[in-house]
Amino acid sequence: MTRTSPARIVLYVTSALVLVYLILPVLIIVPISFSSARFLTFPPPSFSLRWYQQYFANPAWMQATQVTLTVAVLTVLIATPCGVAAAYAISQSKLRIMRVIHMALLLPLVVPIIITAVGIFFVYAKVGLVATMPGLVLANVMLGLPYVVISVLAGLQSFDPAQEMVARSLGMNRLRSFFAVTLPQIKSSVAAGGIFAFISAMDETIVALFISGGQYQPLTKRMFTALRDEIDPTIAAISTLMTAASFMLVLFASARQRKNS
Amino acid sequence: MLALVSPALLVILALIVLPVGWLAWQSIYHDGFTLVNYRRVFTEDIYWRSFALTFEISLAVTLIALLLGYPVAYLANTLPKGWSILILSLVVLPFWTSVLVRAYAWLVLLQRSGVINQFLRYLELISEPLALVHNTFGTVVATVHILLPFMVLPLYATMQKIPNDLMQAGASLGASPSLTFVRVFLPLSLPGVLAGCTMVFVLCLGFYITPELLGGGRTVMVSMLVSRNVELYNQFGAASAVAVVLLLSVLAIFFVVSRFISLDRVLGQK
């Protein structure tokens, strides 16, 4: 097969165009966020930081940011231990029900998010959790769990449970042997799972649209409502910051994973 | 061991099993057993049209994603490792930006005074701005953009497992590159095609943000039907029935697909 065959050229060109299509929208936001123009013009007439100032000076945006970060941190703190415990149990137990439980823990990925959102809204309305912080955190824990479970299960696949047996035969109890032997070996999968849960909580929009309100509205909900009304460049500034933050987290997670393998 | 899974399981039971069960119950019970909600879903024009539109859009998005994704996955598979890592990184890069951010980006690109219209007018290719957004076109463009990684990754994973020897065997038996591709490579990549198409189609069925922001109120997908019935009309029974029909469609698709390939393969990519 010669490298310059016409089919090959078509392949290169198509792929390049598809990659541009994938990347361009993500990149276009950055120059717009530094634009000085009130309305959208491209390329921007001159650069300024006014939209970033607008964002940091606006109490509503700041409050939403604070809600988002609080929710994301609490989500990780709750979802990670729960997910690790569940993944450990699934991988170690020979009970047949564990397969069903494993599938159940992946349900948040299977059920269309709009259905989950409306369902949670109905349940929350009954128990008074709509527009509350605990309600928001709990929903994000549920949505983040599958990421932790999948990541930790993958990590446990390369772990030899016999090592834990050795530790226990030397007198450690199950809990201590887990923390001393198992956890250090799967810690990068745990970290990756936690980071995915964090990103998922930061990005979550649809459930928040239904169940959040008042002072407990995350950034994404305020962005969504703002986007329905007008294309405000402040959102470009927020988007740029959000994108930068999640890229840094992903790079951090994959660097850790690579270091470990 | 059951004690270890119970916290996670409780959260799942309380926040997804119970709510979905509640929806199902609410769709058939209102001061007694009733099927009136389902009758509406299947007979009233607006519901029916919305379901048809959602399936059409999902089908279109899946086909476009396959057409765009296959060459990229194929190229990544044939290039040396460094290049394929670069290509795959570019594919998953948008993955890690918020769906909302990308919807905003497409509004910026596609609106009447948007980047693309400005560019085309600058080139004097058009005199009037094109209506690229607030319609089905804009919805499809943005939805494909969001779902394309879900197509490329399973395709690439499957292609990587196809032994190169088979292609060489085909070539040594005298087949042209295109013939070996059609007769050997393409059939062997079909499990990846099925996995990718399932994921994209199913995710698209429940899409909410892009049709809401880029559809301009005219492209009413099923998810919007659900949210409008709740938020605007307080028709909880109708919303529940729509949600149940949507969920059953998704589960039916997964069930059918699981007869051909393992579901882990489909879900593992997400």
Side-chain angles (χ1 to χ4, degrees):
Chain A
M1 195 183 344
T2 50
R3 287 210 144 229
T4 46
S5 71
R8 198 82 201 160
I9 291 168
V10 171
L11 179 65
Y12 281 124
V13 173
T14 325
S15 303
L17 288 175
V18 172
L19 290 176
V20 168
Y21 164 70
L22 276 171
I23 300 304
L24 190 70
V26 181
L27 296 182
I28 199 94
I29 292 186
V30 182
I32 288 185
S33 73
F34 288 106
S35 169
S36 61
R38 174 70 189 89
F39 296 103
L40 183 78
T41 42
F42 201 86
S46 67
F47 288 94
S48 87
L49 288 174
R50 64 183 280 200
W51 303 112
Y52 288 88
Q53 280 161 357
Q54 194 105 314
Y55 165 58
F56 285 106
N58 182 325
W61 284 124
M62 281 298 105
Q63 192 187 35
T65 309
Q66 208 189 338
V67 171
T68 293
L69 290 176
T70 315
V71 168
V73 169
L74 290 175
T75 298
V76 173
L77 291 181
I78 300 170
T80 314
C82 292
V84 171
Y88 179 79
I90 289 169
S91 78
Q92 303 291 308
S93 169
K94 292 188 174 56
L95 292 176
R96 197 170 295 161
I97 189 123
M98 282 300 178
R99 256 201 77 78
V100 180
I101 293 175
H102 183 190
M103 293 310 279
L105 294 184
L106 301 184
L107 271 179
L109 298 181
V110 178
V111 179
I113 187 82
I114 185 83
I115 296 177
T116 314
V118 175
I120 295 180
F121 170 73
F122 287 145
V123 172
Y124 275 15
K126 285 273 171 196
V127 295
L129 276 172
V130 173
T132 65
M133 197 63 170
L136 204 51
V137 172
L138 216 56
N140 278 293
V141 167
M142 185 272 292
L143 293 170
L145 268 175
Y147 298 106
V148 181
V149 170
I150 289 175
S151 172
V152 175
L153 271 178
L156 281 169
Q157 248 172 11
S158 56
F159 169 75
D160 178 8
Q163 294 181 28
E164 212 177 280
M165 294 299 197
V166 173
R168 276 158 65 193
S169 75
L170 291 171
M172 278 187 183
N173 65 28
R174 189 143 206 169
L175 192 69
R176 270 195 69 196
S177 64
F178 174 78
F179 280 104
V181 179
T182 315
L183 191 60
Q185 298 192 51
I186 58 163
K187 64 173 195 276
S188 59
S189 318
V190 174
I195 288 172
F196 292 151
F198 187 89
I199 295 176
S200 123
M202 243 177 46
D203 282 352
E204 205 293 313
T205 313
I206 299 175
V207 173
L209 278 177
F210 282 88
I211 65 157
S212 75
Q215 56 181 134
Y216 300 117
Q217 294 184 46
L219 207 45
T220 44
K221 179 172 181 179
R222 292 216 190 253
M223 284 170 76
F224 184 88
T225 2
L227 274 179
R228 259 202 291 217
D229 306 336
E230 58 159 345
I231 307 180
D232 178 352
T234 315
I235 294 172
I238 303 171
S239 299
T240 307
L241 292 173
M242 277 177 78
T243 306
S246 59
F247 279 168
M248 264 162 3
L249 284 170
V250 171
L251 283 180
F252 180 71
S254 59
R256 284 203 64 123
Q257 247 170 350
R258 205 162 307 144
K259 204 173 80 186
N260 228 59
S261 60
Chain B
M1 282 297 156
L2 282 173
L4 283 176
V5 283
S6 53
L9 196 58
L10 265 179
V11 174
I12 296 290
L13 287 177
L15 286 177
I16 194 156
V17 179
L18 175 71
V20 170
W22 190 305
L23 281 181
W25 174 248
Q26 198 169 234
S27 70
I28 55 165
Y29 191 89
H30 184 78
D31 304 328
F33 176 78
T34 172
L35 279 176
V36 67
N37 294 313
Y38 287 96
R39 197 172 312 132
R40 286 180 63 181
V41 171
F42 287 105
T43 53
E44 270 182 39
D45 211 30
I46 171 156
Y47 290 89
W48 190 241
R49 272 210 314 263
S50 177
F51 266 101
L53 181 72
T54 305
F55 274 86
E56 275 168 32
I57 289 183
S58 301
L59 199 62
V61 164
T62 308
L63 289 177
I64 296 169
L66 180 61
L67 284 176
L68 299 183
Y70 200 95
V72 176
Y74 183 80
L75 185 68
N77 187 55
T78 56
L79 289 179
K81 194 148 195 253
W83 282 101
S84 66
I85 288 177
L86 177 74
I87 291 179
L88 290 177
S89 317
L90 292 178
V91 169
V92 292
L93 189 88
F95 220 29
W96 298 115
T97 43
S98 158
V99 170
L100 211 52
V101 170
R102 285 184 273 165
Y104 174 74
W106 283 110
L107 281 173
V108 164
L109 283 165
L110 297 176
Q111 64 169 324
R112 286 180 78 80
S113 60
V115 175
I116 289 177
N117 268 321
Q118 279 181 35
F119 185 66
L120 291 176
R121 281 171 95 169
Y122 172 79
L123 294 178
E124 292 181 350
L125 285 171
I126 53 167
S127 51
E128 281 296 299
L130 301 172
L132 301 172
V133 79
H134 300 307
N135 51 27
T136 309
F137 177 82
T139 307
V140 170
V141 169
T143 307
V144 171
H145 181 250
I146 288 162
L147 293 178
L148 198 49
F150 291 100
M151 181 65 85
V152 175
L153 295 181
L155 279 176
Y156 177 78
T158 308
M159 287 175 182
Q160 251 208 325
K161 291 196 200 94
I162 301 175
N164 220 351
D165 308 358
L166 290 178
M167 307 292 289
Q168 280 161 6
S172 75
L173 292 171
S176 67
S178 53
L179 192 65
T180 39
F181 175 79
V182 173
R183 297 287 289 274
V184 181
F185 193 87
L186 194 61
L188 286 171
S189 69
L190 284 182
V193 172
L194 188 57
C197 287
T198 308
M199 204 65 217
V200 170
F201 189 81
V202 162
L203 284 172
C204 192
L205 281 184
F207 246 41
Y208 180 68
I209 293 176
T210 43
E212 187 72 86
L213 290 176
L214 295 140
R218 281 182 289 267
T219 310
V220 181
M221 285 179 74
V222 171
S223 52
M224 292 155 71
L225 218 50
V226 176
S227 82
R228 276 173 200 193
N229 270 312
V230 172
E231 289 183 322
L232 295 180
Y233 315 127
N234 279 330
Q235 298 272 15
F236 296 147
S240 303
V242 174
V244 169
V245 174
L246 175 62
L247 181 62
L248 289 179
S249 320
V250 167
L251 293 180
I253 292 167
F254 275 132
F255 178 75
V256 171
V257 170
S258 73
R259 319 223 74 165
F260 299 99
I261 53 171
S262 100
L263 271 189
D264 287 354
R265 191 167 193 157
V266 180
L267 286 175
Q269 300 298 330
K270 187 161 172 177

